[in-house]
Amino acid sequence: MNARQPLPQDAAQPSGDDRYLAVTHEVFNQPPALEDYNLFEQDKALQEAVAREGAAAATGDLKQFGALAGATETIELGFRANENKPVFNTHDRFGHRIDQVDFHPAYHQLMSLAMENGLHSSPWANPGSGAHVARAAKYYMHSQVEASHCCPITMTFAAIPSIRKQPELAAIWEAKILANNYDPRNLPDSEKQSVTIGMAMTEKQGGSDVRANTTRAYATGTEGPGQAYELVGHKWFVSAPMCDAFLVLAQTQSGLSCFLMPRWRPDGSKNPWQIQRLKNKMGNVANASSEAELRGALAWMVGEEGRGVPTIIEMVAMTRFDCMIGSSAGMRQAFAQASHHCHHRSAFGNRLSEQPLMQNVLADLALESEAALAYTMRVARSLDNQHLEHERLLARLATPVGKYWICKRTPNHAYEAMECIGGSGVMEDCIMPRLLRESPVNAIWEGSGNVQCLDTLRALQKEPDTLDAFFNEAAEARGSDARFDRFLAQLQNDFADISDVEYRARNLVDRLALLMQASLLLRNSDTAVADAFCASRLEHNGGLNYGNLPSGTNPAAIIKRATPVVG
């Protein structure tokens, strides 16, 4: 368009040459927004994983949810929730202590969307073949819209196995936990039909070392499981403090024990635990996280006294699994944004997605994303089949290995995807800054990298058969790729030497994750994907950053398989 094109005749006419300044250029070579698309139908790897891992019957429901998750209006909720941080109010205007956190309406809409679709409840309310796989697929799509509010959804979901250890408490709470509706009102749980559950474990002096906790529990009468106690102490990190109750760790005469602590007492009075302040987080900002003091807060013991860690560990294991789903989802959305941009943008005479070096980067990002999803969905199948010994053993080891690896790979993946988009990817009206800020969260929460590696070693010590189950599962791909066979043999040999195993733990866990991902891709994915993964991950090529796929791989096929087609 001519930069000096006159205005239309019916437009207001500036005087003199000013009339030529109103039109400066035509906007072109810009991608359309990635919205109004179906997150399930535009994700071939997800569709295959759902069918492969036992949830084909849920395909219709997942298609419907995929359309909802990809709708412009739903995507907009994620932006609004993150632009308006939660606000903490200690007291009401009359001076009553209320400890209330107020959220933007978009946050509540996302919570409603999640709970109405059973992201907090479906495998417990409707157990059966493929239940965890179907729920993981739905959570995977929903996390791509907005990750912060998924924290209370995850904790509510993960609380059920622990609460069921105390049947009389489960009889009171379970139906409300599993209810598929959301009630954010700051009211006693006795006045609500649905509730959310959080957890409060870490303290200032201990962090991940919860056995260093100093919070004390004092029996109000009879001692023991299911009985009432008052808790005195503090918690350094209470995420989603507006949950209706929390699983809390506190010390008794017999050691660290687990308790269910509601926000309100049975008589309708406020339970005396007080929020000190909200955490000022770099990411996960739509969700509130807090510090709290417990001033004689009423709670009920869950599980055996002095066995608080084993009681709550099932909740922790499920939250770690959701960290895997959430990080896999972050990678998927980051790749979707990058590949969509490069498909619609040209530079130096060609589409970005058709230029060799960009193809190398995009294909590498796609490999990481699909490998993370394949691993996560395989663990979901294990959760659906815990009655089988192989699946139980596999899940025990694969969960800390996967949580460590997938969550740790996400931050650099987000950055590389942002770089593919360029300057506009750094702007806050793009989702990429949010994905980047969110990317370290899952790697740190629910046990950081070293904690996961030590948990892996703990599993091997307590149940050596877990390693056999892991290797047996991975070895199902033996014979399909010589690089894989060499990698498997070397790793098995390295596990035979347990000297300084803690010092080498990261290296060993890294390779366990890569082994399983390679096995799953070789057995189940597109040939181009599996070949490129083995070539780039199982053999050292001298390059550590994304974009180091060796010659002979097929990046165009990998990119085409993974790119959502929109506009």
Side-chain angles (χ1 to χ4, degrees), residues 175-194:
K176 292 184 178 183
I177 294 171
L178 299 182
N180 283 0
N181 56 74
Y182 171 58
D183 188 345
R185 295 177 298 166
N186 190 11
L187 295 175
D189 54 88
S190 60
E191 300 179 31
K192 303 172 76 170
Q193 297 303 309
S194 68

Side-chain angles (χ1 to χ4, degrees), residues 489-510:
Q490 183 62 56
L491 185 55
Q492 288 177 310
N493 182 67
D494 289 348
F495 266 101
D497 177 13
I498 60 171
S499 63
D500 70 349
V501 67
E502 185 173 321
Y503 183 79
R504 296 184 292 122
R506 283 204 176 202
N507 176 272
L508 293 171
V509 175
D510 283 353

Side-chain angles (χ1 to χ4, degrees), residues 535-551:
S536 58
R537 270 64 168 177
L538 305 188
E539 293 190 326
H540 180 63
N541 301 313
L544 299 178
N545 292 318
Y546 287 106
N548 271 281
L549 300 184
S551 298

